[in-house]
Every structure is written in C-alpha cells, then in structure tokens.
Amino acid sequence: MARKGKAVICREWNKPVSVEEVEVESPRRGEVMVRIKACGVCHSDLSGTNGTIPLPPPSVLGHEAAGVVEEVGEGVQRVAVGDHVIIIWIPMCGKCRYCAEGRPALCDASAKAAITLPDGTTRYKDSSDNPLNQFAGVGVMSEYATVHEDNVLPIDPDIPLDKAALVGCAVMTGVGAALNTARVQAGSTAVVFGAGGIGLNAIQGCALAGAQKVIAVDLEDKKLAFAQQFGATHTINPRVDGDPVAKIQELTGGGADYAFECIGVPEVIGQAYASVGKGGTCVVVGVTRPEGSVTLGTFMMPFQEKVLTGSMYGSARPSVDFPRLLALYQSHRLKLDELVTATYPIDDVQRAFDDMQSGANARGVLLM
Ligand SMILES: [Zn+2]
Ligand SMILES: [Zn+2]
C-alpha cells in the first residue's frame, strides 16, 4: 500500500532544501518499503544540493539511514516485515565481476542506478504527481522509502537505530578506508586530512588498527577537538601551524605510512600524497568536483614506491562489515554514541545542513 509522509527534497542546486509531503509507492518485486527512523546528514547530501555530486534534482536526499521494514514486495528473501535494517547506498548485485571478486563497493550496478532504483524508475511522487529522483539510488531522508532489497541489511533489533544509521555511510566509509582499503598496520603512522564525519571515522579506524600516531589536519579547532576524542594523537591546524606536509614529515620522521584525504579538494590530495613516506599509501576518500585534477611530481615515483588509491564506501562488503562494526560498537571499541552530537526533527533539516557547514557537529542526525 502506498504511504504518504514528509521527505527532504532538493528542487534546485544552490537553493535551500524543502520538506514536502510525498507519496511513496508500494514495493514492487524484489523491493522493500522501510519506515525510516533516523537519517544522518552527510556531506555528500550537501554536495548533492550544490552540484558537486552532479546528480540531477528534483530528488529526495539522504543515504545514511536505518529503519524498520514496513512492507515487502514479491520474491523478497533478505528481510521480512518488522526487521530492523541499515540502508546500503550502493545496490550490490552479487553477480558482476566486482561483486564476484569480493569488491561489491565497485559493483557495476551502482553507476546505472544513481538516482533511481535498479530498474531505472523511482517510487516517490510529489503533491503534483511528478516523480522525484532517489539520491544515491535510495533517497532516504524521508519518513518512508521504497528501495531494492539489495539496498538493505538486517541488523540486531537491540542496536539503537540512530547509531546504526551512521554505519550505513560515515562509519563504513571512514573506518573502512583504514581497515579495508589501506589495511592499516599496528604500530604504523597515519595522517587524516579533514575531521568531518568521514575523517573522524578514518581516525577511529586507524586507532582501532593500532596505529602509533594518528595525525589529524583541519582548519577548524573545534573539529580537531573531536579528532582527539576519536583517537588522534596529534593535530595540525594549517592556519596556525603552517605547511602541514613539513609538520607531518617532522612528526613521522620522514613521512607517514598512510594518508587519508577526507575532504575532496585536489590541492589537499596533493598534500596527502606528499605526506606519505617511501612505501606509504595515500587514500582518496573525499569526492572532488567533477573537473578536479592534481599535478604530481613524477621523478621520484619509482624510487618511493608510494601507492595512491581511491576508497569507495570504505571498500564495503556490508554483510561482512556492518555486523563487525556493530559488534565493535557493542563491545565499546567503536564510538557511535559520541558521533551523534545533535539530532533534529525532519522539519529542521536546513539547520542540520547549516550546522554541518559551520563544523558544529561530529554528526547531525534527523529523527523521524
Ligand atoms: Zn554519506
Ligand atoms: Zn555487482
């Protein structure tokens, strides 16, 4: 049965978002409707409102959510009505080359369904009966959302849904960049550029892996204070401390073993690459504007054997990683409670976006 509820909509780039009543269609074959209970406000949603991530409006925003299954379509096997689920913002088909290789974050299906369900259509309509896109293939900043069953993972109902939601993007992306993509070694040194929601989780991923030094770089002292809470052993504010690369080389005796760029600024990607020493690994997590580019000196490349790689969704394998991350939370080794520094009703979403931009929050979460 179709449902009506409030949803956060981007009507036009560089304009405030709106909260509107939408109609959410019943799940079709292989789909599920989720009653969303909590949705994190991620920098990628903001990037969706200003064209940095050029997914066309009008769309229902949101991709970091958890909720309760309300209705299932024909043939659904993964979940049943009443199950608690985390939204996975990449549909992982399980059949393509990358899924078969155990790298479902690179699934071929994801590029095909960036603003719709995998069949190319959407389940939202506005009050004038016009279809609305589903941001990142899910669009879950909404009281109800219909998504493909490949986009949900059932979890232990004891876990609070406002914390579980964060595992669906920020935690998976940041901790995964450290543990899955870079495979940070115990005793190593790491630097994380940008201490927002993703960066804080890259920091806690490095700390979990046993890095001896975790250096956080950010222009905001407030964010550097959060960074220390999540395991940073050293902080650098380039406004005060000057060139971060020189400082990192000094702190690490010639360059870090790992660097994570969690902002999406080409110049900072260059700094991150320069910050790692011989044999080190530089991981690009931040999403730049489509035209972004960076120039790297090539002469030293063979002599240094540095690795430069991207990290998509923390190289997530949700059915392996989400239960692991939640178990680490339950044993008090992964900080999720500390991550949620403010909650908002859906009507206050613009304030949540403003607070994210001012750096007031580790993470702000909408509660439905
Ligand atoms: Zn996100
Ligand atoms: Zn696939």
Side-chain angles (χ1 to χ4, degrees), residues 179-214:
L179 299 188
N180 290 348
T181 312
R183 296 178 179 271
V184 169
Q185 303 282 308
S188 62
T189 57
V191 54
V192 176
F193 289 83
I198 306 288
L200 290 175
N201 281 292
I203 289 166
Q204 78 164 332
C206 293
L208 267 173
Q212 48 139 320
K213 278 182 188 162
V214 185

Short mmCIF file of all heavy atoms in Angstrom, two decimals, residues 179-214:
data_model
loop_
_atom_site.label_atom_id
_atom_site.label_comp_id
_atom_site.label_asym_id
_atom_site.label_seq_id
_atom_site.Cartn_x
_atom_site.Cartn_y
_atom_site.Cartn_z
N LEU A 179 40.60 0.25 7.52
CA LEU A 179 40.73 -1.20 7.75
C LEU A 179 40.67 -2.02 6.46
O LEU A 179 41.42 -3.00 6.32
CB LEU A 179 39.64 -1.69 8.71
CG LEU A 179 39.63 -1.08 10.12
CD1 LEU A 179 38.61 -1.81 10.99
CD2 LEU A 179 41.01 -1.12 10.77
N ASN A 180 39.79 -1.64 5.53
CA ASN A 180 39.63 -2.46 4.32
C ASN A 180 40.52 -1.98 3.18
O ASN A 180 41.22 -2.78 2.57
CB ASN A 180 38.18 -2.40 3.81
CG ASN A 180 37.20 -3.12 4.71
OD1 ASN A 180 37.59 -3.85 5.61
ND2 ASN A 180 35.92 -2.93 4.47
N THR A 181 40.46 -0.67 2.88
CA THR A 181 41.19 -0.19 1.70
C THR A 181 42.69 -0.16 1.98
O THR A 181 43.47 -0.73 1.23
CB THR A 181 40.70 1.22 1.30
OG1 THR A 181 39.27 1.24 1.25
CG2 THR A 181 41.25 1.60 -0.07
N ALA A 182 43.09 0.53 3.07
CA ALA A 182 44.52 0.69 3.33
C ALA A 182 45.11 -0.46 4.15
O ALA A 182 46.30 -0.69 4.13
CB ALA A 182 44.76 2.01 4.06
N ARG A 183 44.27 -1.16 4.87
CA ARG A 183 44.74 -2.23 5.78
C ARG A 183 45.85 -1.71 6.69
O ARG A 183 46.98 -2.22 6.69
CB ARG A 183 45.21 -3.45 5.00
CG ARG A 183 44.07 -4.09 4.22
CD ARG A 183 44.54 -5.28 3.40
NE ARG A 183 43.41 -5.88 2.70
CZ ARG A 183 42.64 -6.83 3.22
NH1 ARG A 183 42.89 -7.32 4.41
NH2 ARG A 183 41.63 -7.31 2.53
N VAL A 184 45.51 -0.69 7.45
CA VAL A 184 46.47 -0.04 8.36
C VAL A 184 47.05 -1.07 9.34
O VAL A 184 46.32 -1.87 9.92
CB VAL A 184 45.78 1.11 9.14
CG1 VAL A 184 46.65 1.64 10.27
CG2 VAL A 184 45.42 2.25 8.17
N GLN A 185 48.38 -1.04 9.47
CA GLN A 185 49.08 -2.00 10.33
C GLN A 185 49.27 -1.44 11.74
O GLN A 185 49.45 -0.23 11.90
CB GLN A 185 50.48 -2.27 9.76
CG GLN A 185 50.49 -2.78 8.33
CD GLN A 185 50.13 -4.24 8.25
OE1 GLN A 185 50.72 -5.07 8.94
NE2 GLN A 185 49.15 -4.57 7.42
N ALA A 186 49.28 -2.33 12.72
CA ALA A 186 49.58 -1.92 14.10
C ALA A 186 50.97 -1.30 14.14
O ALA A 186 51.88 -1.78 13.45
CB ALA A 186 49.50 -3.11 15.04
N GLY A 187 51.12 -0.23 14.93
CA GLY A 187 52.43 0.39 15.08
C GLY A 187 52.80 1.39 13.99
O GLY A 187 53.87 1.98 14.03
N SER A 188 51.91 1.56 13.01
CA SER A 188 52.22 2.46 11.88
C SER A 188 51.86 3.91 12.23
O SER A 188 51.34 4.20 13.30
CB SER A 188 51.43 2.01 10.65
OG SER A 188 50.04 2.12 10.93
N THR A 189 52.15 4.81 11.28
CA THR A 189 51.77 6.22 11.46
C THR A 189 50.78 6.59 10.35
O THR A 189 50.90 6.13 9.21
CB THR A 189 53.00 7.14 11.36
OG1 THR A 189 53.65 6.92 10.11
CG2 THR A 189 53.98 6.87 12.50
N ALA A 190 49.81 7.42 10.72
CA ALA A 190 48.77 7.79 9.75
C ALA A 190 48.41 9.25 9.91
O ALA A 190 48.51 9.81 11.01
CB ALA A 190 47.53 6.91 9.97
N VAL A 191 47.99 9.86 8.80
CA VAL A 191 47.51 11.24 8.85
C VAL A 191 46.16 11.30 8.15
O VAL A 191 45.96 10.64 7.12
CB VAL A 191 48.54 12.22 8.23
CG1 VAL A 191 48.93 11.82 6.83
CG2 VAL A 191 47.99 13.66 8.24
N VAL A 192 45.24 12.03 8.74
CA VAL A 192 43.90 12.16 8.17
C VAL A 192 43.63 13.64 7.92
O VAL A 192 43.68 14.45 8.86
CB VAL A 192 42.83 11.57 9.12
CG1 VAL A 192 41.43 11.80 8.56
CG2 VAL A 192 43.08 10.07 9.34
N PHE A 193 43.39 13.99 6.66
CA PHE A 193 43.07 15.36 6.28
C PHE A 193 41.56 15.53 6.30
O PHE A 193 40.85 14.89 5.53
CB PHE A 193 43.61 15.68 4.88
CG PHE A 193 45.11 15.80 4.82
CD1 PHE A 193 45.90 14.66 4.71
CD2 PHE A 193 45.72 17.04 4.88
CE1 PHE A 193 47.28 14.76 4.65
CE2 PHE A 193 47.10 17.15 4.82
CZ PHE A 193 47.90 16.01 4.71
N GLY A 194 41.06 16.40 7.19
CA GLY A 194 39.63 16.65 7.27
C GLY A 194 39.02 15.84 8.39
O GLY A 194 39.00 14.61 8.33
N ALA A 195 38.54 16.52 9.45
CA ALA A 195 37.97 15.81 10.60
C ALA A 195 36.46 16.00 10.67
O ALA A 195 35.89 16.29 11.71
CB ALA A 195 38.65 16.26 11.89
N GLY A 196 35.80 15.84 9.52
CA GLY A 196 34.34 15.80 9.48
C GLY A 196 33.87 14.39 9.80
O GLY A 196 34.62 13.58 10.35
N GLY A 197 32.62 14.08 9.43
CA GLY A 197 32.05 12.76 9.76
C GLY A 197 32.89 11.61 9.23
O GLY A 197 33.11 10.61 9.92
N ILE A 198 33.39 11.72 8.00
CA ILE A 198 34.19 10.63 7.41
C ILE A 198 35.58 10.62 8.05
O ILE A 198 36.10 9.56 8.42
CB ILE A 198 34.33 10.83 5.88
CG1 ILE A 198 32.97 10.96 5.20
CG2 ILE A 198 35.17 9.72 5.27
CD1 ILE A 198 32.16 9.73 5.11
N GLY A 199 36.19 11.80 8.16
CA GLY A 199 37.54 11.89 8.69
C GLY A 199 37.63 11.35 10.12
O GLY A 199 38.57 10.64 10.46
N LEU A 200 36.65 11.69 10.95
CA LEU A 200 36.66 11.20 12.33
C LEU A 200 36.64 9.68 12.35
O LEU A 200 37.26 9.03 13.20
CB LEU A 200 35.46 11.73 13.12
CG LEU A 200 35.46 13.23 13.44
CD1 LEU A 200 34.14 13.62 14.12
CD2 LEU A 200 36.65 13.61 14.31
N ASN A 201 35.94 9.10 11.39
CA ASN A 201 35.87 7.64 11.34
C ASN A 201 37.13 7.02 10.74
O ASN A 201 37.51 5.91 11.13
CB ASN A 201 34.60 7.20 10.61
CG ASN A 201 33.41 7.29 11.55
OD1 ASN A 201 33.33 6.53 12.51
ND2 ASN A 201 32.54 8.26 11.31
N ALA A 202 37.79 7.74 9.84
CA ALA A 202 39.09 7.26 9.37
C ALA A 202 40.07 7.27 10.56
O ALA A 202 40.86 6.35 10.73
CB ALA A 202 39.60 8.13 8.22
N ILE A 203 39.96 8.33 11.38
CA ILE A 203 40.82 8.42 12.57
C ILE A 203 40.53 7.25 13.51
O ILE A 203 41.45 6.57 13.98
CB ILE A 203 40.59 9.78 13.28
CG1 ILE A 203 41.18 10.91 12.44
CG2 ILE A 203 41.18 9.77 14.69
CD1 ILE A 203 40.74 12.31 12.85
N GLN A 204 39.24 6.99 13.77
CA GLN A 204 38.97 5.88 14.71
C GLN A 204 39.30 4.53 14.09
O GLN A 204 39.68 3.60 14.81
CB GLN A 204 37.61 5.98 15.36
CG GLN A 204 36.39 5.56 14.63
CD GLN A 204 35.22 5.38 15.65
OE1 GLN A 204 35.43 5.06 16.83
NE2 GLN A 204 34.01 5.59 15.20
N GLY A 205 39.27 4.42 12.76
CA GLY A 205 39.70 3.19 12.10
C GLY A 205 41.20 2.96 12.31
O GLY A 205 41.64 1.85 12.61
N CYS A 206 42.00 4.03 12.15
CA CYS A 206 43.45 3.92 12.35
C CYS A 206 43.75 3.57 13.81
O CYS A 206 44.64 2.76 14.10
CB CYS A 206 44.15 5.23 11.99
SG CYS A 206 44.08 5.61 10.22
N ALA A 207 43.00 4.19 14.73
CA ALA A 207 43.21 3.91 16.15
C ALA A 207 42.86 2.45 16.46
O ALA A 207 43.60 1.75 17.16
CB ALA A 207 42.36 4.86 17.00
N LEU A 208 41.73 1.98 15.89
CA LEU A 208 41.32 0.58 16.08
C LEU A 208 42.39 -0.39 15.58
O LEU A 208 42.60 -1.45 16.17
CB LEU A 208 40.05 0.30 15.27
CG LEU A 208 38.70 0.45 15.93
CD1 LEU A 208 37.60 0.28 14.89
CD2 LEU A 208 38.52 -0.58 17.05
N ALA A 209 43.03 -0.01 14.47
CA ALA A 209 44.06 -0.88 13.88
C ALA A 209 45.36 -0.86 14.68
O ALA A 209 46.28 -1.62 14.39
CB ALA A 209 44.33 -0.47 12.43
N GLY A 210 45.46 0.07 15.64
CA GLY A 210 46.65 0.11 16.49
C GLY A 210 47.76 1.01 15.98
O GLY A 210 48.93 0.82 16.33
N ALA A 211 47.42 1.99 15.13
CA ALA A 211 48.45 2.93 14.67
C ALA A 211 49.06 3.64 15.88
O ALA A 211 48.36 3.99 16.82
CB ALA A 211 47.83 3.95 13.71
N GLN A 212 50.38 3.86 15.84
CA GLN A 212 51.04 4.51 16.99
C GLN A 212 50.81 6.01 16.98
O GLN A 212 50.74 6.64 18.03
CB GLN A 212 52.54 4.20 17.02
CG GLN A 212 53.24 4.40 15.67
CD GLN A 212 54.60 5.05 15.79
OE1 GLN A 212 54.79 5.95 16.57
NE2 GLN A 212 55.54 4.59 14.97
N LYS A 213 50.76 6.59 15.78
CA LYS A 213 50.47 8.02 15.68
C LYS A 213 49.36 8.22 14.68
O LYS A 213 49.41 7.65 13.57
CB LYS A 213 51.70 8.78 15.17
CG LYS A 213 52.71 9.08 16.25
CD LYS A 213 53.89 9.87 15.73
CE LYS A 213 54.96 9.96 16.83
NZ LYS A 213 56.27 10.34 16.29
N VAL A 214 48.35 8.99 15.07
CA VAL A 214 47.29 9.36 14.14
C VAL A 214 47.20 10.89 14.18
O VAL A 214 46.84 11.48 15.20
CB VAL A 214 45.92 8.75 14.53
CG1 VAL A 214 44.88 9.07 13.47
CG2 VAL A 214 46.03 7.24 14.74
#
